[in-house]
Amino acid sequence: MKIFAKLLIGVFRHVKTFVDSEMERLEAAASGRSARSSGRIWLRDVRIPPLLLDAAVAGLLVLQSRFYAADFFHFISLVVYSVGMYGVFVYAVSLADPEIRSETSSYTLLIFLLLVNLYTLFIAEIYGAAYIFSTTAVVFTAAMLFPKKVVSVFAVFSLLVCRSFLPMRHWYFLPGYVLSSFAAIILASPVTSRKAVISAGFKLSLVNTLIFAFGKELFGIKGDVGVDIYYALGSGLAAAAAGLIALPYLEAIFGRMSSITLVEMSDTNKPLIKRMMVDAPGTYHHSLITASLAEAACDAIGASGPLARVGAYYHDIGKLFKPEYFIENQIYTGNPHDTVSPTMSSMVLMAHVKEGLELARQHKLNPKIVEFIGEHHGESLILQFYHKAVTKDVNVEEKDFRYDGVRPRSRETAVVMLADSVEAASRSLTALKPSAIADTVKKVVNNKFVDGQLNDAPLTLKDLEIITEVMTRTLCGILHVRYQKPDDEPPLSAVDAAPAAPPAE
């Protein structure tokens, strides 16, 4: 017993040392702005290391094993099984989505849903209602917030983690849980409206009823068939209702956005978008084109296109404070930058990021959308006014003309940064030829890469190549690039009238 105690203390010491080192590394990364802003829970700058979350869950599983264990050896077996299965769950989730553990808020939400699933199943078992498919509601909600691969891993391994603590009277309920969970994933993943959620709930009720009916006949389960069928029929609708009720709170607390919210946010009748349409029409049009470029590029590299589209809609809302200082809104007015110093001009331009963040907080935008506002310029140099200032004073410092923002830390925000710059650069094109557009897009992407603005974004060189190609093709379509007829080409009528050349012998 003493040897085991010493071994356990040694393991805990090593874990504590590892956790402390990870905490120091993450704190240093946060001070250097390399930690992802999606790690924010609520709207405050709260970051929780994923390793600390895993340690807390493992500790909870050990504690729960202590209450369930009949003796010491049973306790050890429960700890080994539950903690080991949780480790497999973490590994499988990391394989399904390599970025999820770096997104603290998303990973925290997934762990929270795991614990909810554990205790929901436990409560259902206490009241003898295992056949209600209580876990379906949790999986249904998760399917609206996470990709299918992640939810599939969650559905299977969360049940396996919970299995050791559930005094199930009938082990054969487990396959029913799994089948019901996968039905919930298939039905809930594509929903984009609240009406579709209710429809998915109806379909899930029918599926759960079939699963229970077949299980009852297959295993000969006894009981009140009528009551059991009513429970099964209501389970899908209950899961849909629980998902609809919980979704706004989970999104507000953890900052995760569902497809339903993204569709609602993309509505151009939202107050901020309508205000931009009236007060800054040039910025509004710029945002629409940026959104098209960003969505196409994100879809091509496997990122979230809808999220990039919505983020692009809102990324420039800070220009609403002084729209006349931005060139896209200077159609009928003069350029106010002609009457102020380059330093003042750069300060006005840089201020639109901070003003956009303040406006986003006033309107309580989701933290995921706020990321696009704060990161779409990163620490870029305002080249035009920097060169203008250098011609007047060679002692000008470059840092005074760089945005005091945060470099993009997700694929979506990085793509919006590139789309924003590409769209702005395309306005200076005089010849709308595919070759000229391709050169412009390549130049913009290369400049951002060389300047280090993409250093914190999880983009590969292959991703940048795909982004360049897709944005070039999309921009050619937006600008309606057509075949440029050479000056010496004969008119079409002359070509039609010319006799056909004799066939070669």
Side-chain angles (χ1 to χ4, degrees):
M1 190 68 181
K2 291 182 179 180
I3 296 175
F4 175 76
K6 290 180 179 179
L7 180 63
L8 195 61
I9 292 172
V11 170
F12 277 122
R13 282 179 179 174
H14 282 293
V15 170
K16 182 180 181 301
T17 304
F18 185 64
V19 170
D20 290 341
S21 64
E22 283 291 305
M23 289 287 288
E24 291 176 2
R25 183 184 64 81
L26 288 169
E27 287 176 1
S31 62
R33 292 179 176 175
S34 61
R36 298 184 63 176
S37 62
S38 54
R40 296 178 184 178
I41 300 178
W42 300 284
L43 292 181
R44 296 174 292 181
D45 195 15
V46 178
R47 295 184 177 91
I48 304 175
L51 186 63
L52 188 60
L53 279 174
D54 294 336
V57 174
L60 181 63
L61 294 175
V62 171
L63 183 63
Q64 194 159 345
S65 299
R66 175 65 183 84
F67 288 108
Y68 275 91
D71 51 45
F72 177 74
F73 292 102
H74 186 209
F75 166 71
I76 295 299
S77 65
L78 283 177
V79 170
V80 171
Y81 173 83
S82 58
V83 175
M85 194 57 65
Y86 177 73
V88 176
F89 163 74
V90 171
Y91 178 70
V93 167
S94 301
L95 288 180
D97 186 356
E99 296 181 25
I100 194 167
R101 280 173 59 81
S102 62
E103 298 180 7
T104 305
S105 56
S106 297
Y107 191 61
T108 305
L109 174 58
L110 196 66
I111 299 303
F112 173 76
L113 291 175
L114 172 70
L115 296 177
V116 170
N117 200 16
L118 169 64
Y119 291 108
T120 302
L121 283 170
F122 176 66
I123 293 172
E125 276 293 336
I126 289 177
Y127 289 96
Y131 46 77
I132 299 180
F133 303 92
S134 56
T135 188
T136 304
V138 180
V139 175
F140 192 95
T141 304
M144 292 189 289
L145 292 165
F146 292 96
K148 282 185 179 180
K149 290 192 295 184
V150 173
V151 185
S152 299
V153 170
F154 171 82
V156 174
F157 285 97
S158 62
L159 285 171
L160 293 177
V161 171
C162 303
R163 180 63 186 90
S164 60
F165 303 119
L166 298 177
M168 287 185 174
R169 296 177 302 278
H170 307 294
W171 66 267
Y172 39 76
F173 279 128
L174 193 60
Y177 280 130
V178 174
L179 291 174
S180 177
S181 297
F182 276 98
I185 294 170
I186 294 171
L187 293 171
S189 294
V191 298
T192 55
S193 66
R194 303 187 189 280
K195 181 180 178 181
V197 173
I198 300 300
S199 176
F202 274 109
K203 295 175 183 176
L204 186 59
S205 291
L206 296 177
V207 172
N208 285 351
T209 303
L210 291 174
I211 292 173
F212 177 76
F214 278 110
K216 199 172 185 67
E217 290 297 324
L218 185 62
F219 295 105
I221 303 174
K222 298 179 180 180
D224 191 336
V225 178
V227 174
D228 295 344
I229 292 295
Y230 286 140
Y231 277 140
L233 277 172
S235 62
L237 289 173
L244 286 176
I245 294 171
L247 201 59
Y249 297 101
L250 295 177
E251 290 178 327
I253 294 173
F254 296 98
R256 188 81 185 181
M257 295 186 72
S258 66
S259 299
I260 297 174
T261 303
L262 286 173
V263 170
E264 292 175 348
M265 290 289 291
S266 63
D267 183 7
T268 54
N269 287 316
K270 291 291 183 180
L272 278 176
I273 305 298
K274 289 191 72 173
R275 181 180 165 188
M276 188 187 301
M277 195 185 304
V278 175
D279 296 343
T283 300
Y284 170 74
H285 183 257
H286 158 75
S287 298
L288 293 183
I289 297 179
T290 301
S292 299
L293 294 171
E295 182 176 20
C298 282
D299 287 339
I301 63 173
S304 175
L307 176 59
R309 182 182 72 247
V310 175
Y313 284 166
Y314 288 87
H315 79 286
D316 267 345
I317 58 174
K319 293 182 179 180
L320 288 171
F321 287 90
K322 293 182 177 67
E324 69 277 4
Y325 277 85
F326 299 90
I327 191 169
E328 66 267 21
N329 300 313
Q330 296 171 2
I331 302 174
Y332 301 109
T333 61
N335 189 348
H337 293 291
D338 295 337
T339 59
V340 298
S341 66
T343 303
M344 182 59 67
S345 294
S346 64
M347 289 176 63
V348 173
L349 263 61
M350 288 187 288
H352 89 273
V353 175
K354 294 180 180 179
E355 290 167 346
L357 292 173
E358 182 60 33
L359 198 58
R361 292 188 181 95
Q362 291 175 8
H363 287 259
K364 298 180 180 179
L365 295 184
N366 189 283
K368 282 285 187 182
I369 303 302
V370 178
E371 288 179 12
F372 289 89
I373 301 171
E375 298 179 14
H376 76 278
H377 279 300
E379 299 171 350
S380 300
L381 177 66
I382 306 177
L383 200 59
Q384 176 187 358
F385 294 113
Y386 173 68
H387 286 165
K388 188 176 179 181
V390 168
T391 58
K392 296 182 178 181
D393 184 3
V394 294
N395 295 322
V396 170
E397 294 188 16
E398 182 181 298
K399 64 182 181 64
D400 294 333
F401 290 84
R402 284 192 176 273
Y403 282 94
D404 186 23
V406 180
R407 290 181 297 191
R409 294 169 289 192
S410 69
R411 291 188 294 177
E412 291 81 8
T413 54
V415 170
V416 168
M417 167 188 271
L418 296 175
D420 180 42
S421 300
V422 164
E423 198 284 330
S426 69
R427 294 174 178 271
S428 62
L429 290 174
T430 53
L432 297 181
K433 297 181 180 180
S435 58
I437 293 175
D439 291 341
T440 300
V441 175
K442 289 178 182 177
K443 184 178 179 180
V444 168
V445 174
N446 185 64
N447 287 345
K448 294 296 182 183
F449 177 76
V450 172
D451 195 33
Q453 299 306 311
L454 304 177
N455 286 357
D456 294 338
L459 292 174
T460 64
L461 293 177
K462 181 63 176 177
D463 290 337
L464 293 180
E465 182 181 345
I466 295 173
I467 290 169
T468 302
E469 179 186 348
V470 172
M471 285 190 180
T472 300
R473 186 172 63 248
T474 306
L475 197 57
C476 286
I478 292 173
L479 297 178
H480 304 291
V481 177
R482 293 185 176 91
Y483 168 70
Q484 301 292 323
K485 187 180 71 173
D487 295 336
D488 57 349
E489 181 178 331
L492 184 61
S493 57
V495 174
D496 291 338
E505 296 185 7

